[in-house]
Amino acid sequence: ANGFRVLLARSAATTPNLSWAVKQQGAQGAFIITASHNPAEYNGFKLKANFGGSVPPLDTADIERRLALQQVVIKEGGRPVEFFDPKNAYLAHLQRLVDIEVLRAGLMPRRGATSKLHWPDLLTIVDSMHGAGAGYMSLIFGYPRPLIDLAPPQFLAEIRTQRDPLFGGTHPEPIRSNLGMLMDIVKREANRYPMAMGIAFDGDGDRIGAIDGSGEFINSHQILALLLRHLVETKGWSGGVVKTFSTSRLVEKLARCYGLPVYEVPIGFKYICDLMLREDILIGGEESGGIGIKNHLPERDGILCGLLLMEIASMRGKSLKAQVNELHDKFGPAYYDRFDLRTTDRSIISEKLKKLEESPPLGIDGVRVTEVQTLDGVKLLFADEGWLLFRASGTEPLLRVYAEAAEPERVRRLLRFGRDFAKGVAMPQETEQASELSYNSGGSLPASGQ
């Protein structure tokens, strides 16, 4: 009614798909209605700019200011809304980044296989968590509907593809505590397929998590490191590496090994996007599973990352866990964990963080604090290369506490300090979400408090 040509997707589509459509259609931007990886009640708008990434914070603030003024706009008339299918052009673009035909040829069941061989060795189970990513992986391999049959021979299958606005009653976030079903299926299928693996997307398909055939959760830090190695060593790409404030030092060590510049930014993909627009960036990632890659968009894309993980496993002929172990053997073990405390008063969190910044401990568990960083929250760096971070969530009323160290027991002790320090933050019925992101080179780190 106000003179714009408006295109509406015919069916649910992922955020990176619609971000690509902005560029492909030459549009001014996009509105995407989604709660992303948050609980269903957080449903709202994501705003995408004409370059196919998130609208810069200053522009978002300007939009919010104008909405608050309730300025009158024309509400009737104008040309009809046009429906379109954004998927085909997007999937064609992905096939220029990942060689789907070579990948499919190497994974498809082969005739005449002997009893000593299992074709394919690699079976990928995709869990869209009832979100918009359902069917994408099947579609890119030429199947118009999600492949849901697990009967052999098979190389791809999808679970939780049914539309559910409440996401089965759980948060559509691909973290360990939400992926029990995927873990069980992958571990079971590994008896038939030696390199079975699982890939999970969040509600709008821009974040990723993974499961190894052993049933172990492969978190975003590990995925980021595996993708970085693949892009450099296999594809021969170059550029800077961006990590958010809560991302593992393993990524930084790997980047410096390749001689690539490393940028550390506050938590939130908008900061990674800003650098991708200004600098030559190879890859950028955040702790919550969002990873953006060169030659695509200044945007997270779980579908692309999932395809690259399949390519990595297929080309290297090793499980994800085995490849993570290779990185740990070279750069040292890295154990990571996190817990969240919910509150009704954000000012309590601010007071706690201010107190910690002004009077940090000299050390914890006998290890000296070497530096205090305040890029996003308060981060204590230790002489043993471990760290402990306290910060307020940008989307929910939570205090998040993160820790990384070379030993799992050291991580537990750091988080125990964090829990003691944070007393008084939580509501009387304390809500805690812990251990989603634990990882190591030899088994999973148990959840904090378990």
Side-chain angles (χ1 to χ4, degrees), residues 333-383:
Y335 296 77
Y336 183 98
D337 209 350
R338 180 192 101 197
F339 71 85
D340 299 340
L341 291 175
R342 187 173 297 274
T343 182
T344 55
D345 187 353
R346 287 181 180 268
S347 65
I348 297 177
I349 297 178
S350 299
E351 292 171 5
K352 287 283 186 180
L353 295 181
K354 182 179 179 181
K355 178 180 178 181
L356 182 63
E357 181 182 351
E358 293 176 348
S359 302
L362 297 177
I364 298 177
D365 192 35
V367 182
R368 181 170 53 90
V369 172
T370 58
E371 187 178 353
V372 178
Q373 298 180 343
T374 57
L375 179 64
D376 190 342
V378 180
K379 188 176 188 179
L380 308 177
L381 275 61
F382 299 94

Side-chain angles (χ1 to χ4, degrees), residues 426-431:
M427 296 188 301
Q429 292 79 30
E430 181 175 308
T431 301

Side-chain angles (χ1 to χ4, degrees), residues 61-83:
D62 187 44
I63 292 170
E64 292 172 347
R65 181 185 64 81
R66 291 169 185 267
L67 287 173
L69 296 174
Q70 298 185 1
Q71 294 175 329
V72 176
V73 296
I74 302 170
K75 298 182 179 180
E76 296 180 1
R79 55 195 296 184
V81 170
E82 303 173 32
F83 289 90

Side-chain angles (χ1 to χ4, degrees), residues 239 253-262:
K253 292 177 180 179
L254 185 59
R256 297 201 185 285
C257 176
Y258 295 131
L260 302 177
V262 179

Side-chain angles (χ1 to χ4, degrees), residues 209-223:
I211 305 296
D212 180 73
S214 64
E216 183 173 325
F217 179 61
I218 307 295
N219 67 44
S220 59
H221 308 260
Q222 298 168 312
I223 293 172

